[in-house]
Amino acid sequence: MAALDQKSPNVLLQSLCCRITGKSEAEVAHQFQYAVRVIGSNYAPTIERDEFLVSEKIKKELLKQRREGDAALFSELHRKLQTQGILKHRWSVLYLLLSLCEDPRKPSSRMGSYGALFAQALPRDAHSTPFYCTRPQSLALSYGERTGAPGGAAAVAGAPGAGGLSGSMGTSGISSLGVYSLNGPTQTPQTLLAGQPPQSAAGSSQPLGSRLAWALPVSSSPSSALAPPTLRLPLGPPALTNKALRPRRDGDGNAEVSEAALVRDLLYVFQGIDGKFVKMSGQDNCYKIDGKVVLCKSLRDTSSRLAELGWLHNKVRKYTDARSLDRAFGLVGQSFCASLHQELKEYYRLLSVLHSQLQVEDDQGVNLGVESSLTLRRLLVWTYDPKVRLKTLAALVDFCQGRKGGELASAVHAYGKTGDPQMRALVQHILSLVSHPILNFLYRWIYDGELEDTYHEFFVASDPNVKTDRLWHDKYSLRKSMIPTFITMDQARKVLLIGKSINFLHQVCHDRTPPGKITPACKSTDTPKDAAELLSDLEGAFQGKIDAAYFDTSKYLLDVLNHNYLLLEHLQAMRRYLLLGQGDFIRHLMDLLKPELARPATTLYQHNLTGILETAVRATNAQYDNAEILKRLDVRLLEVSPGDTGWDVFSLDYHVDGPIATVFTRDCMGHYLRVFNFLWRAKRMEYTLTDIWKGQMCNAKLLKTMPELSGVLHQCHILASEMVHFIHQMQYYITFEVLECSWDELWNKVQQAQDLDHIIAAHDVFLDSVISRCLLDNNSRSLLNQLRAIFDQIIEFQNAQDTLYRSALEELSLRLQEDERRKRRGEEGEWGVTAEQEAEERRRVQEFQDTIPKMRSQLRILTHFYQSIVQQFLVLLTTSSDESLRFLSFRLDFNEHYRAREPRLRASLGATRGRRSSNI
């Protein structure tokens, strides 16, 4: 047992303390307690493990000693050491060499120096930033600018020398207590002596560990206080004069305040509590030392600089106290307050250590002249890093005022865009806490389709007043102000689509498949650490999760729409019936409807037209379509205007409901109705011209016996040929250049669509293209009016030709009857005609011949009007911005027939060709 006791860690540690200090076991009690605390503490790394940086420092040190040859030799040896890989911890070896190189201790005082080191050092407390974040270091925050305090000895100002230490000081955060040197104590740098400004410390050639070697002791034993000077080198500023340290006596109004009293006062100020001498000035919004207090300028300035810490603490604490009880601040805001509370908690831990040290000094009666006591200079060094950290938090609080939810996360993320890695790590740690609720919202939305955003913090918004039929278009939207800046707009759009697809499947498609079977749920951000790891890889893991859920959910939704609700079949039905793609059906339907549609619109009945529609379906290839499609096809009568015929009010209709109504909305069906009316009217012109041509071909032989009609009939043939050419070119343009090309683009996009929004967007583009190129948009209104006028002229020409043929055939019939009568009477042996009958026949023939000039003039006027309208139409086409419409003008006037008649057309065509040649 004795052997085991001798090998226990406590016994070995006590023996080590005795061996290092050269003292007995009773004399090293305090050092042993400190060693136990050191071993049991969780230190944060104080020095960055950069092998290259350490090697460069060694070479610079050799060059300073004018040992260029040794520096070159060291560089070569270090290069060989890197290539061979013999040592696993090269940085540690190099750092040991650097430490030995920088050690200014003399061999005779080595043991005493170690003892002084144990007597002075104090372990650092762990700060709030977890091990996966680097400790933030500094942040420029001008206290004077924020407080508006006037310049003076009593006003609190920022530490002017803070910038010189920020680059090399290694501490553990708000709760850090300074840096202690591994090389033992050294002489106090002149830059930190009383009465000299600390900003010159940046230019000191001594290492930072030597400059800041003193630290707060756990306690001071009488034996260590009485150690010989040779064994105890000064580790801090020299003792102040008796005048500066003289205590305040009762009744002595001119006595100076002791430094210990100021230290005690400042420890209360650090907590936002007014001290006896340092109090908050409401007018200047800063802590000031009472002007009646007698104090030397150096102590007054140092105290003012330290008091800034209390102002920063108050600023952060005021924000957290005001917001912590505000439920409307939301989960993100509460997480932000929790992160600030966490930082303040570590700050309070530092203050408790300082208070306990001050209490130890009071209990043991330590004199202020002792080097290990708590002084303003040491307090300034120990609170430097917490002050920088509080500056960061105070500036962040100012920047986040009035923000909540995703906007607050964006503000925190934007504030972390700095070149200082330590400050960036602090903000990243806060961001991991702030973004934790947002990421939980996000995962709940993309994996379950649930949106529990009571305080409107998430960037996906829901409108509960929207009905189910408008769920996809209007119910869910993006709050752009709430999109965190670390989430791109493309990612936000995908997140919106994922949850919207899940809700669309459940509420509109009535699909009961659990979301977990649609896309497997990944691990959510259970802790802020998970959120931090996810935020560190936004383009990798985070993007991968969103993409996987997006592709799985969208693919499943499109499969349901295509297989269960026949989305693609309905789309093709629109092309075949409403866009007149089923040619045999449309032609047969026109043949059946011709007698009905020729009647006035007021005499039509929808059930009669529906019966004709069903007949046309059964008689053509349309009968082989899916019954689900055919039952949606119907007849619709438009609003009747005075003088309208059935052709003007007839329209086909296609009923849509359920999920497919999301693609074929009311606006889309309105566009289809407009396009159908235009195509139906153009198809009617083709049908009418076919009847005109048939009439001309059938009656040409019959009317050969009436030579007086040859001129009129020739004029009819010419005008009909012009109209046929125009309509054929228009039909070619509409059918092939507009409908077929647009449909091919739509079908390719639908086949490649990754989500429902892509299909809806492609369908909208298709309809817009058809509306625009069929001259149905507002920009083509003048062209459409001219085209409708041309269609009206075709109808008038049909009526005029029908009247001509009716009169001619009636006259022909009378002449044939008269000839038959004469022939029959001649066979009977009588005169073929009497004088009275002959006179009557001549009078009737003369009357008919008198109507021919009227018919000729009517056709001439009709031709003139038709050609003038076509010429105006061509002028508008040539000035159009659409290249396909300009090419249409070339085909309509391929032989320059109209160009020769219209000067404006010649100018327009010439300008157009000049523009084309210049483009080439």
Side-chain angles (χ1 to χ4, degrees):
M1 290 297 292
L4 292 176
D5 293 338
Q6 292 297 327
K7 294 182 180 180
S8 65
N10 290 337
V11 174
L12 294 176
L13 183 59
Q14 190 174 24
S15 302
L16 180 62
C17 293
C18 296
R19 181 70 175 272
I20 292 176
T21 59
K23 300 178 182 179
S24 63
E25 294 183 0
E27 293 175 334
V28 297
H30 296 289
Q31 286 78 1
F32 172 70
Q33 294 177 5
Y34 168 69
V36 171
R37 294 177 62 191
V38 169
I39 293 175
S41 63
N42 181 18
Y43 287 144
T46 60
I47 301 173
E48 185 178 0
R49 295 180 176 271
D50 191 337
E51 179 184 351
F52 175 77
L53 181 61
V54 175
S55 65
E56 288 298 316
K57 286 184 178 180
I58 294 176
K59 286 188 283 187
K60 288 181 181 179
E61 187 66 27
L62 293 174
L63 291 176
K64 285 180 182 179
Q65 300 176 10
R66 300 183 180 278
R67 298 165 59 185
E68 292 81 359
D70 292 341
L73 179 60
F74 170 79
S75 179
E76 180 64 20
L77 292 175
H78 180 237
R79 186 187 62 80
K80 292 181 178 180
L81 188 63
Q82 285 179 317
T83 56
Q84 292 180 2
I86 299 175
L87 294 178
K88 295 182 179 179
H89 305 287
R90 291 193 301 272
W91 174 86
S92 301
V93 176
L94 292 177
Y95 185 70
L96 175 62
L97 295 177
L98 177 62
S99 302
L100 295 174
C101 177
E102 293 178 348
D103 189 3
R105 294 174 296 173
K106 297 179 180 180
S108 60
S109 60
R110 183 175 302 241
M111 295 297 293
S113 298
Y114 280 120
L117 172 64
F118 266 96
Q120 299 297 323
L122 182 74
R124 297 161 296 162
D125 294 323
H127 58 84
S128 61
T129 303
F131 64 89
Y132 51 87
C133 289
T134 309
R135 179 196 56 76
Q137 177 68 26
S138 60
L139 172 65
L141 176 63
S142 177
Y143 174 72
E145 293 178 1
R146 296 190 178 277
T147 60
V156 178
L165 299 175
S166 62
S168 58
M169 180 178 291
T171 61
S172 60
I174 282 183
S175 61
S176 63
L177 301 178
V179 177
Y180 58 90
S181 173
L182 295 177
N183 303 322
T186 60
Q187 295 290 339
T188 304
Q190 296 298 320
T191 57
L192 295 179
L193 295 178
Q196 295 187 11
Q199 60 265 29
S200 61
S204 176
S205 61
Q206 294 187 7
L208 184 62
S210 300
R211 297 203 306 271
L212 303 180
W214 66 85
L216 186 63
V218 179
S219 61
S220 299
S221 62
S223 60
S224 61
L226 299 176
T230 57
L231 297 178
R232 191 164 185 181
L233 297 177
L235 296 177
L240 301 177
T241 63
N242 293 332
K243 181 180 179 181
L245 302 176
R246 185 171 66 242
R248 184 186 182 95
R249 296 187 181 90
D250 296 338
D252 188 1
N254 296 326
E256 292 186 9
V257 179
S258 65
E259 187 172 3
L262 282 177
V263 170
R264 188 177 302 277
D265 233 30
L266 287 172
L267 290 181
Y268 286 103
V269 171
F270 289 166
Q271 304 172 61
I273 304 172
D274 286 353
K276 188 175 182 181
F277 310 110
V278 185
K279 298 183 180 181
M280 187 68 181
S281 173
Q283 181 179 0
D284 297 329
N285 189 25
C286 64
Y287 281 99
K288 284 188 174 182
I289 302 176
D290 192 352
K292 299 179 182 179
V293 176
V294 179
L295 199 64
C296 67
K297 187 178 185 304
S298 62
L299 293 180
R300 184 179 293 272
D301 291 345
T302 304
S303 300
S304 299
R305 291 166 57 189
L306 286 169
E308 182 184 355
L309 202 63
W311 181 87
L312 294 171
H313 164 269
N314 289 349
K315 188 175 187 63
V316 178
R317 182 61 182 267
K318 182 179 178 181
Y319 179 85
T320 57
D321 291 345
R323 290 294 189 176
S324 294
L325 300 178
D326 184 9
R327 292 190 175 183
F329 199 32
L331 296 178
V332 178
Q334 296 301 325
S335 297
F336 181 56
C337 290
S339 65
L340 296 178
H341 275 299
Q342 194 178 61
E343 298 297 329
L344 289 178
K345 179 181 176 182
E346 299 301 331
Y347 172 70
Y348 294 146
R349 187 177 297 175
L350 166 65
L351 296 185
S352 67
V353 173
L354 294 176
H355 272 290
S356 63
Q357 172 63 21
L358 196 61
Q359 187 65 35
V360 169
E361 292 180 3
D362 291 344
D363 294 343
Q364 298 185 3
V366 178
N367 194 343
L368 286 175
V370 179
E371 297 162 358
S372 61
S373 61
L374 193 60
T375 63
L376 292 180
R377 290 284 179 167
R378 290 175 181 168
L379 201 60
L380 190 66
V381 173
W382 294 327
T383 58
Y384 168 75
D385 202 58
K387 181 178 177 181
V388 170
R389 201 170 180 94
L390 279 180
K391 279 185 178 182
T392 303
L393 299 180
L396 193 58
V397 163
D398 277 342
F399 192 62
C400 295
Q401 286 287 351
R403 305 173 191 266
K404 61 177 291 186
E407 189 179 7
L408 176 61
S410 297
V412 176
H413 181 257
Y415 208 76
K417 295 179 179 179
T418 174
D420 186 350
Q422 298 169 338
M423 173 184 148
R424 185 170 62 248
L426 168 63
V427 178
Q428 285 292 334
H429 169 54
I430 297 176
L431 180 62
S432 66
L433 296 174
V434 170
S435 60
H436 185 224
I438 295 179
L439 294 177
N440 282 337
F441 286 147
L442 187 146
Y443 287 136
R444 190 78 176 269
W445 171 251
I446 65 176
Y447 291 129
D448 300 327
E450 297 179 2
L451 189 61
E452 296 181 0
D453 186 15
T454 307
Y455 303 105
H456 309 294
E457 303 172 272
F458 194 42
F459 55 84
V460 175
S462 174
D463 187 356
N465 299 323
V466 175
K467 296 182 179 179
T468 305
D469 58 336
R470 295 294 300 174
L471 181 143
W472 186 269
H473 297 282
D474 300 331
K475 188 174 181 64
Y476 301 106
S477 60
L478 286 176
R479 291 192 190 100
K480 293 187 178 180
S481 62
M482 290 296 174
I483 300 177
T485 52
F486 53 82
I487 294 179
T488 64
M489 184 58 67
D490 181 64
Q491 290 174 340
R493 188 189 72 85
K494 288 183 177 179
V495 168
L496 173 66
L497 282 176
I498 294 167
K500 188 164 63 172
S501 299
I502 295 175
N503 285 278
F504 184 81
L505 284 167
H506 292 170
Q507 300 181 35
V508 181
C509 299
H510 305 291
D511 184 85
R512 301 305 177 190
T513 304
K517 292 186 177 180
I518 297 176
T519 176
C522 298
K523 178 185 177 183
S524 62
T525 55
D526 295 330
T527 64
K529 180 182 176 181
D530 297 331
E533 292 176 351
L534 199 61
L535 291 175
S536 64
D537 192 15
L538 290 174
E539 297 181 357
F542 183 70
Q543 182 70 40
K545 289 183 179 181
I546 293 180
D547 288 343
Y550 166 74
F551 288 123
D552 293 342
T553 307
S554 299
K555 183 178 182 300
Y556 184 82
L557 174 59
L558 293 182
D559 289 342
V560 169
L561 289 176
N562 291 332
H563 294 94
N564 298 353
Y565 295 95
L566 307 176
L567 175 61
L568 298 183
E569 284 77 357
H570 288 298
L571 192 62
Q572 291 175 331
M574 294 288 182
R575 172 70 182 94
R576 289 199 300 270
Y577 298 114
L578 296 189
L579 300 183
L580 311 187
Q582 191 78 20
D584 59 334
F585 167 77
I586 297 299
R587 179 68 187 186
H588 189 61
L589 181 64
M590 279 191 166
D591 291 338
L592 296 177
L593 288 175
K594 182 179 179 181
E596 289 286 331
L597 299 183
R599 297 161 49 190
T602 54
T603 63
L604 296 180
Y605 295 98
Q606 186 169 354
H607 60 274
N608 294 337
L609 300 178
T610 303
I612 296 175
L613 174 64
E614 294 176 355
T615 303
V617 169
R618 289 193 299 267
T620 59
N621 288 329
Q623 63 180 315
Y624 301 111
D625 271 345
N626 194 316
E628 176 68 20
I629 293 174
L630 293 178
K631 74 177 184 180
R632 296 176 181 270
L633 194 60
D634 198 3
V635 172
R636 180 176 181 177
L637 294 178
L638 306 180
E639 185 178 353
V640 179
S641 299
D644 283 349
T645 63
W647 290 104
D648 301 318
V649 298
F650 175 81
S651 176
L652 288 180
D653 195 12
Y654 196 86
H655 299 293
V656 292
D657 55 13
I660 62 171
T662 301
V663 178
F664 305 107
T665 61
R666 291 184 179 180
D667 293 339
C668 290
M669 297 311 297
H671 291 331
Y672 273 114
L673 185 61
R674 291 180 60 192
V675 175
F676 174 83
N677 289 332
F678 173 77
L679 298 177
W680 182 257
R681 193 177 181 88
K683 182 63 72 172
R684 180 196 174 191
M685 295 302 105
E686 183 181 4
Y687 189 80
T688 299
L689 288 174
T690 302
D691 289 345
I692 291 174
W693 180 82
K694 285 181 179 179
Q696 291 177 350
M697 295 299 103
C698 293
N699 297 322
K701 294 182 178 180
L702 296 176
L703 298 179
K704 283 184 178 180
T705 57
M706 301 176 68
E708 64 271 20
L709 293 176
S710 60
V712 177
L713 295 179
H714 178 68
Q715 194 172 355
C716 287
H717 281 243
I718 292 176
L719 182 57
S721 298
E722 288 188 32
M723 292 179 174
V724 168
H725 170 71
F726 181 89
I727 293 300
H728 281 178
Q729 293 300 323
M730 286 300 302
Q731 282 287 2
Y732 173 83
Y733 167 75
I734 294 170
T735 304
F736 294 100
E737 295 192 14
V738 177
L739 294 179
E740 287 300 328
C741 293
S742 300
W743 173 258
D744 185 65
E745 293 179 3
L746 170 64
W747 192 251
N748 290 334
K749 291 180 180 179
V750 167
Q751 295 295 326
Q752 300 171 4
Q754 295 179 345
D755 57 55
L756 184 57
D757 264 354
H758 289 167
I759 293 180
I760 294 175
H763 184 246
D764 290 342
V765 170
F766 166 74
L767 285 180
D768 290 342
S769 175
V770 171
I771 290 287
S772 174
R773 301 182 68 184
C774 285
L775 315 177
L776 298 176
D777 58 341
N778 294 330
N779 297 331
S780 305
R781 189 174 297 275
S782 57
L783 277 169
L784 182 62
N785 292 335
Q786 294 295 323
L787 188 59
R788 287 176 175 173
I790 293 174
F791 290 166
D792 292 340
Q793 293 300 314
I794 293 175
I795 299 299
E796 289 187 12
F797 172 65
Q798 182 190 29
N799 295 333
Q801 180 174 281
D802 289 345
T803 302
L804 172 62
Y805 282 137
R806 193 181 305 111
S807 300
L809 291 175
E810 184 180 355
E811 177 64 22
L812 179 61
S813 177
L814 292 175
R815 291 184 183 183
L816 292 176
Q817 291 176 4
E818 183 64 22
D819 291 343
E820 183 66 24
R821 190 183 306 114
R822 289 180 181 181
K823 183 178 180 181
R824 187 174 60 252
R825 292 181 66 180
E827 291 176 351
E828 293 176 354
E830 299 179 359
W831 294 99
V833 61
T834 61
E836 295 178 357
Q837 291 175 343
E838 187 176 1
E840 180 65 23
E841 178 71 14
R842 288 178 180 176
R843 183 182 63 79
R844 184 178 55 77
V845 171
Q846 186 62 38
E847 289 178 355
F848 173 75
Q849 291 178 349
D850 290 340
T851 61
I852 293 177
K854 295 180 181 180
M855 295 179 184
R856 185 180 291 112
S857 61
Q858 182 181 2
L859 287 175
R860 190 178 296 113
I861 294 173
L862 188 62
T863 303
H864 174 73
F865 274 114
Y866 171 77
Q867 291 181 346
S868 63
I869 295 173
V870 171
Q871 290 167 9
Q872 180 64 28
F873 182 73
L874 290 175
V875 170
L876 294 175
L877 286 180
T878 55
T879 57
S880 174
S881 59
D882 190 348
E883 188 176 19
S884 60
L885 291 178
R886 295 198 299 269
F887 288 156
L888 175 62
S889 69
F890 301 151
R891 293 198 299 271
L892 291 175
D893 193 24
F894 71 99
N895 57 357
E896 299 184 353
H897 171 72
Y898 299 104
R899 181 188 178 193
R901 298 168 179 265
E902 177 58 55
R904 293 181 301 167
L905 192 58
R906 291 197 294 271
S908 300
L909 287 172
T912 303
R913 289 170 180 170
R915 183 166 60 248
R916 289 184 60 208
S917 62
S918 63
N919 291 337
I920 295 175

